[in-house]
Amino acid sequence: MKVMKFGGTSVGKPERMHQVAQLITKDAEPVIVVLSALSGTTNSLVEISNFLSKGDKVGAKKTIDSLEVHYRNFVKQLVARNDLQTKANAIVTEHFEFLNIILRISFSDALNKDILAQGELMSTKLFCIYLEERGIDHLLLPALEFMSIDANEEPQLLSIRTKLNQLLSQHNDKKLFITQGYICKNAKGEVDNLKRGGSDYTASLIAAAAKASVCEIWTDIDGMHNNDPRIVDKTIAIEQLSFEEAAELAYFGAKILHPTCIWPAQQENVPVKLLNTMQPEAVGTTITREAGSVGVKAVAAKDGIIAIKIKSSRMLLAYGFLRKIFEVFEKYKTSIDMITTSEVAVSVTIDNDTFLNDIIRELEPFGTTEVDKNQTIISIVGNEIEATNDVMKKLFDAIEEIPVRMVSYGGSHNNVSLLVSSGYKIKTLQLLNKGLFGL
Ligand code: ADP
Ligand code: ASP
Ligand code: MG
């Protein structure tokens, strides 16, 4: 079994969907195809939800209507046969009727999740209609029947495996399965999702559950690049990464992968490949247990970071002090990304400010606190970085002019992290591209 995931741009135009149909019918092996929503759709659905949460029904209706026009036009070019056009339009009608009905009911978190699910539900159904036109035998596997998260919003791999295998075994005769990325059921049995960009996570979870031979992530770029191509002019694709390196890059901001999507594939040792739908012949990036080479491979940046410094000359060296501090973050389910300590202070970073005021209040008995918002973590990722000559020298020479707020080094063989004020992000990424990669 092979898993092939296609992101928003890969299915965002009718001709792209046609191309996806070609890519998924090349192998002899059975394939599970995971699809995102058409590009832009989830953003529009988020917008609709935001309007509704503020009680702005007029705004919501406007967005719903323009999204519907987009889908009607899409259908016109997706299939040629009249009966299939009618069938595709009926699906669009069904989902837009739902979106229009919710204008009349009161907004809730559960409703928000239902709204967000419409994109993947539509893209998969429309794609199946195109496969029908091409006469390609397939089966739509509804993700809501097997993909689930627990009360802590963690995917339940064991239950996903059991349910998925049950579904697959009922259809031994099929070779091509289509399913939705991103959407799942939560512990209350409601529709939920794996957070933005979550279709990559779906693909990796399915690959682990089905013990697939490979998990292919097809997108609009030829693999993981050494730096953020949206910010830095000259970037190059990396051919080989270890699971650890890829996980660090994803977690620290390389948008090509969902932040936590590597672990399921890694757990079952399923290779992950990043490939370009628009350029299928490009080698892409292969992610396996082996790093392939030693040294720095890429840098990534994660915005929206908050640094908290707790100063306490009396207590810092006392044993148990750090535990007490960490317990405050644990109580508010807020995870810490970076940590540095000195004799009189400890600094940590978080990326979720939902409970910031509560956390600061509860930290007060331990010392004085200082909060810096609008920070960015710049991560330098590679293999056996500490064993590579001159890395630290090159790194700090390159960013001589940048004020660095925190440095974290030695936590793993794969990462050096710097915290800078977000205003310095672009400059830092550009300087590192020159200093570390000579680009
Ligand atoms: P999809 O819709 O297929 O999931 P995404 O937009 O989520 O695609 O991810 C692909 C995009 O990630 C690329 O177009 C690129 O701009 C961005 N990106 C950010 N950092 C990197 C990186 N280090 N390497 C490759 N792409 C990156
Ligand atoms: N459609 C969802 C999003 O835009 C999930 C995904 O594309 O991975 O976030
Ligand atoms: Mg994505």
Side-chain angles (χ1 to χ4, degrees):
M1 183 69 79
K2 175 174 170 175
V3 174
M4 298 175 84
K5 175 257 167 177
F6 294 88
T9 33
S10 303
V11 291
K13 292 189 174 148
E15 61 270 28
R16 297 253 163 85
M17 269 202 183
H18 299 166
Q19 195 192 353
V20 168
Q22 282 186 348
L23 291 169
I24 61 174
T25 45
K26 281 189 172 154
D27 292 279
E29 212 178 352
V31 183
I32 302 180
V33 176
V34 177
L35 298 187
S36 289
L38 314 194
S39 55
T41 297
T42 312
N43 286 347
S44 297
L45 295 170
V46 168
E47 199 176 293
I48 292 164
S49 268
N50 286 344
F51 277 130
L52 289 177
S53 69
K54 288 185 249 148
D56 183 352
K57 293 187 177 177
V58 177
K61 177 74 178 142
K62 251 193 187 163
T63 311
I64 294 171
D65 288 347
S66 64
L67 193 62
E68 180 168 355
V69 170
H70 182 69
Y71 275 81
R72 297 287 174 204
N73 289 331
F74 189 92
V75 162
K76 275 187 205 150
Q77 290 159 46
L78 179 69
V79 282
R81 258 170 54 190
N82 276 341
D83 60 327
L84 293 178
Q85 285 245 343
T86 308
K87 195 169 169 180
N89 271 313
I91 282 161
V92 175
T93 302
E94 178 199 326
H95 288 276
F96 281 90
E97 264 175 14
F98 168 78
L99 289 174
N100 278 297
I101 285 169
I102 55 153
L103 288 174
R104 284 181 256 130
I105 53 183
S106 57
F107 186 78
S108 65
D109 191 43
L111 185 65
N112 171 40
K113 305 285 176 57
D114 274 323
I115 296 170
L116 297 181
Q118 301 307 307
E120 273 70 13
L121 291 170
M122 282 197 281
S123 66
T124 45
K125 290 183 197 174
L126 294 176
F127 183 64
C128 287
I129 293 181
Y130 176 64
L131 293 179
E132 193 178 333
E133 178 162 271
R134 292 273 316 276
I136 299 169
D137 190 37
H138 65 276
L139 183 79
L140 180 64
L141 284 181
L144 298 178
E145 287 183 17
F146 64 88
M147 193 55 68
S148 58
I149 51 173
D150 63 18
N152 292 320
E153 303 191 329
E154 293 294 331
Q156 301 173 297
L157 189 52
L158 282 181
S159 138
I160 294 167
R161 173 172 292 149
T162 310
K163 288 184 186 158
L164 177 65
N165 286 338
Q166 253 166 18
L167 282 172
L168 292 174
S169 66
Q170 286 163 16
H171 301 281
N172 280 331
D173 54 322
K174 299 280 179 197
K175 267 197 59 203
L176 181 61
F177 302 92
I178 315 297
T179 194
Q180 298 88 12
Y182 179 59
I183 62 173
C184 62
K185 285 271 179 82
N186 63 25
K188 291 186 249 170
E190 300 160 345
V191 173
D192 210 318
N193 61 63
L194 301 174
K195 310 263 160 64
R196 294 306 305 271
S199 297
D200 302 329
Y201 207 4
T202 304
S204 176
L205 286 161
I206 292 179
K211 297 192 195 281
S213 61
V214 61
C215 175
E216 294 181 351
I217 310 277
W218 290 81
T219 181
D220 59 0
I221 188 164
D222 58 345
M224 178 73 78
H225 278 219
N226 71 305
N227 206 329
D228 192 326
R230 294 165 302 177
I231 294 175
V232 175
D233 280 343
K234 265 183 158 176
T235 61
I236 45 170
I238 306 163
E239 269 188 46
Q240 169 93 38
L241 285 171
S242 67
F243 288 122
E244 288 82 6
E245 290 169 326
E248 299 260 18
L249 285 169
Y251 188 74
F252 287 112
K255 190 194 171 228
I256 186 170
L257 284 174
H258 175 279
T260 56
C261 78
I262 289 294
W263 74 261
Q266 179 174 17
Q267 191 165 312
E268 293 299 332
N269 197 22
V270 179
V272 177
K273 285 191 160 197
L274 309 182
L275 295 157
N276 189 349
T277 312
M278 273 55 89
Q279 205 190 330
E281 66 293 345
V283 285
T285 301
T286 302
I287 303 164
T288 61
R289 276 188 185 153
E290 287 79 39
S293 59
V294 166
V296 172
K297 298 213 184 133
V299 298
K302 184 175 170 184
D303 291 324
I305 303 294
I306 300 140
I308 303 170
K309 186 189 283 173
I310 306 123
K311 265 191 180 167
S312 169
S313 49
R314 270 184 315 115
M315 290 173 77
L316 195 73
L317 290 178
Y319 55 81
F321 180 73
L322 286 178
R323 178 178 53 78
K324 287 181 200 146
I325 287 181
F326 289 154
E327 271 171 0
V328 174
F329 290 89
E330 189 183 345
K331 179 172 169 192
Y332 291 100
K333 292 191 174 175
T334 301
S335 62
I336 292 171
D337 283 330
M338 275 177 85
I339 165 159
T340 54
T341 59
S342 81
E343 188 133 330
V344 292
V346 51
S347 276
V348 300
T349 69
I350 57 174
D351 64 2
N352 176 357
D353 65 359
T354 317
F355 299 108
L356 184 60
N357 292 339
D358 300 290
I359 290 172
I360 297 302
R361 196 191 57 244
E362 295 213 18
L363 286 174
E364 255 150 31
F366 304 119
T368 53
T369 54
E370 264 173 46
V371 176
D372 289 320
K373 294 188 178 173
N374 298 322
Q375 303 290 303
T376 293
I377 295 179
I378 309 275
S379 263
I380 294 94
V381 173
N383 179 33
E384 294 183 30
I385 292 186
E386 75 286 2
T388 315
N389 278 347
D390 285 349
V391 169
M392 296 305 267
K393 180 176 178 340
K394 276 191 195 159
L395 169 58
F396 286 105
D397 280 352
I399 56 163
E400 209 176 19
E401 64 192 82
I402 306 288
V404 177
R405 163 80 170 75
M406 279 167 77
V407 180
S408 171
Y409 173 54
S412 79
H413 298 300
N414 302 111
N415 179 309
V416 185
S417 290
L418 312 172
L419 188 74
V420 300
S421 177
S422 297
Y424 288 104
K425 170 175 111 168
I426 295 178
K427 189 77 194 156
T428 308
L429 289 180
Q430 287 167 342
L431 290 171
L432 288 174
N433 217 42
K434 260 207 195 119
L436 292 178
F437 305 101
L439 293 167

